[in-house]
Amino acid sequence: MTQFEFYKSFLFVAELLLAEFMFIYRLKRRRFFALRAMAGVAACFLFAFLFPVVSDNALYCSLIFLSIFSFTVLAGKFLFRNTWMTVLFCCLAGYTTQHLSYELYSIALSLSGTAQSNSFYGSAEFWEIFPNLAVFVIYLFIYAVVYCISYFCFSRKLTGNEEVFLKKPFIFVFTIFILIIDILLNAIVVYTPESGAMGYTIIISVYNVLCCIVSLYLQFEVALRRKIERNYVTVQEMLDRVKKQYALSKENIEIINIKCHDLRHQIRNMSGVPLSPGAIKDISNSISIYDSTVKTGNDALDIILTEKSLVCSSEGIQFSCIADGEKLNFIDAADVYALFGNIVDNAIEAVRKVSPDKRSIS
């Protein structure tokens, strides 16, 4: 087995899967994840091993690595329930990190004068990829440092609970284009005999390194900006809900004041006559409206439950809840609002189909 065959079948796949794992492991896992993971990893190695090397040129070499990357994206979708865009986003970040590490490793070998004795694309025996311990230590050190920096600077920004939505995917497509050009340029340098000069190789590698860094920055800048925009819209909607809730609370208080004023006049005119059933029911209804305000210890939960309880009251639905909202404070307010709003909306829709005397939500 030659150096190149060993690299594309084993070493490259291991580097790529590890880099992709840093970005993708937080996503929503499918059932039987452990079994799927073992099958997916084995399939990736098998695909790379069986991919034929039928031509020795830059274009076909680039096709090999891009095909292996595409297969890892399919494996990622096989393991996780997130959208294709989210899986592709994470895998692309992993591939960019792997390629960045490779380019820095190439620069280090060129500067140390050991580049000729070590080649991932060589035709010598595979064990000559690392001709001595020093080269192997340089390899491990550079890849470990780059992977750690990429994890702390980029990977930790992904929560895994949110999908990647790109309102304008042009920049994301542009980052993919940059990475493809990087890979192709690297292959051209490797397979062009005239490009063997160390200075030329270093210049191209430095250019590719900068492109990888810019690609990662643009990729996450687009995603995070879109996330901020969505959060802003959610916050605005919550503020609008708060304003509506304030208006409802103010209206309820005014209703109670009016009822109390009417009751005061009724009491003055009763002259010892007990209240009529209608008057008692009227007062009870006013009290029930006042009691619709919910206080659980979680502002987002208070807003949504109060709003829904008033909806239930207006539609003759008995609504009751026991909630310790402080236990939900570890969840983002927007998520609490959306989750329980959807739950109660579904419940209201369901009880509308039953007879009025059985309409109850607890």
Side-chain angles (χ1 to χ4, degrees):
M1 179 179 288
T2 64
Q3 291 172 319
F4 178 71
E5 290 172 339
F6 177 78
Y7 177 66
K8 68 97 175 174
S9 301
F10 300 103
L11 194 57
F12 171 74
V13 179
E15 294 170 358
L16 180 60
L17 291 179
L18 180 59
E20 291 177 348
F21 178 76
M22 292 193 309
F23 294 92
I24 207 171
Y25 76 95
R26 294 188 184 91
L27 300 187
K28 304 169 186 175
R29 300 178 179 182
R30 296 184 185 274
R31 296 181 60 189
F32 310 111
F33 178 78
L35 293 176
R36 286 174 176 265
M38 289 187 290
V41 170
C44 289
F45 279 102
L46 182 62
F47 177 83
F49 178 77
L50 296 177
F51 202 100
V53 183
V54 298
S55 180
D56 189 23
N57 59 67
L59 186 60
Y60 189 75
C61 175
S62 301
L63 176 64
I64 291 175
F65 291 116
L66 290 174
S67 298
I68 295 173
F69 166 69
S70 300
F71 193 85
T72 63
V73 175
L74 295 177
K77 185 59 178 174
F78 175 70
L79 294 175
F80 299 94
R81 294 184 288 109
N82 298 73
T83 63
W84 280 103
M85 177 62 75
T86 302
V87 173
L88 176 60
F89 181 93
C90 295
C91 290
L92 180 63
Y95 194 8
T96 305
T97 299
Q98 183 277 331
H99 192 67
L100 174 61
S101 303
Y102 167 82
E103 294 293 349
L104 289 173
Y105 175 64
S106 299
I107 293 174
L109 291 184
S110 297
L111 293 176
S112 65
T114 59
Q116 297 301 321
S117 62
N118 167 75
S119 175
F120 289 157
Y121 294 82
S123 57
E125 295 298 327
F126 71 90
W127 59 76
E128 296 184 31
I129 283 183
F130 302 113
N132 55 61
L133 181 61
V135 172
F136 184 65
V137 170
I138 292 173
Y139 167 80
L140 289 180
F141 176 77
I142 290 178
Y143 273 74
V145 170
V146 173
Y147 279 35
C148 287
I149 293 175
S150 182
Y151 174 79
F152 286 104
C153 293
F154 298 104
S155 174
R156 293 202 304 173
K157 296 180 180 180
L158 299 175
T159 62
N161 295 323
E162 297 181 349
E163 301 288 356
V164 175
F165 295 101
L166 301 177
K167 187 175 182 180
K168 296 180 179 180
F170 168 75
I171 296 182
F172 182 62
V173 174
F174 183 63
T175 60
I176 298 177
F177 177 75
I178 291 177
L179 182 60
I180 294 175
I181 295 299
D182 276 354
I183 296 168
L184 186 58
L185 280 177
N186 175 74
I188 291 174
V189 171
V190 170
Y191 284 96
T192 304
E194 294 78 8
S195 64
M198 183 181 72
Y200 180 80
T201 302
I202 292 177
I203 290 173
I204 295 297
S205 295
V206 170
Y207 170 79
N208 286 344
V209 166
L210 294 176
C211 286
C212 288
I213 295 174
V214 171
S215 295
L216 279 173
Y217 175 78
L218 288 177
Q219 184 179 346
F220 279 83
E221 178 70 14
V222 170
L224 293 178
R225 180 173 296 180
R226 180 60 178 156
K227 178 181 178 181
I228 292 173
E229 290 176 356
R230 295 200 314 272
N231 289 340
Y232 175 78
V233 172
T234 302
V235 170
Q236 288 297 318
E237 291 176 352
M238 290 189 65
L239 290 175
D240 291 340
R241 297 285 187 180
V242 171
K243 293 178 181 179
K244 292 179 181 179
Q245 182 58 47
Y246 172 75
L248 287 172
S249 299
K250 184 178 180 180
E251 182 180 347
N252 291 337
I253 293 174
E254 291 176 352
I255 292 174
I256 295 298
N257 290 335
I258 293 173
K259 295 298 182 181
C260 290
H261 183 267
D262 293 341
L263 179 60
R264 187 181 299 113
H265 285 284
Q266 291 182 28
I267 293 174
R268 291 176 180 174
N269 297 328
M270 281 192 305
S271 302
V273 178
L275 291 174
S276 65
I280 295 176
K281 183 178 181 181
D282 202 16
I283 296 172
S284 299
N285 290 337
S286 299
I287 295 174
S288 66
I289 294 174
Y290 182 76
D291 288 340
S292 294
T293 303
V294 178
K295 296 294 182 183
T296 66
N298 183 287
D299 293 339
L301 189 61
D302 293 346
I303 292 172
I304 195 64
L305 291 182
T306 299
E307 181 184 73
K308 300 305 178 183
S309 66
L310 291 171
V311 173
C312 291
S313 177
S314 66
E315 298 193 20
I317 302 172
Q318 182 181 351
F319 182 88
S320 62
C321 67
I322 300 175
D324 183 1
E326 292 183 357
K327 296 292 193 297
L328 298 175
N329 287 336
F330 71 95
I331 304 177
D332 184 74
D335 293 335
V336 172
Y337 191 89
L339 174 64
F340 285 92
N342 186 59
I343 289 173
V344 182
D345 281 339
N346 290 338
I348 292 174
E349 186 65 26
V351 298
R352 283 173 178 159
K353 301 175 183 178
V354 302
S355 58
D357 59 323
K358 295 182 178 180
R359 294 179 179 176
S360 176
I361 299 175
S362 299

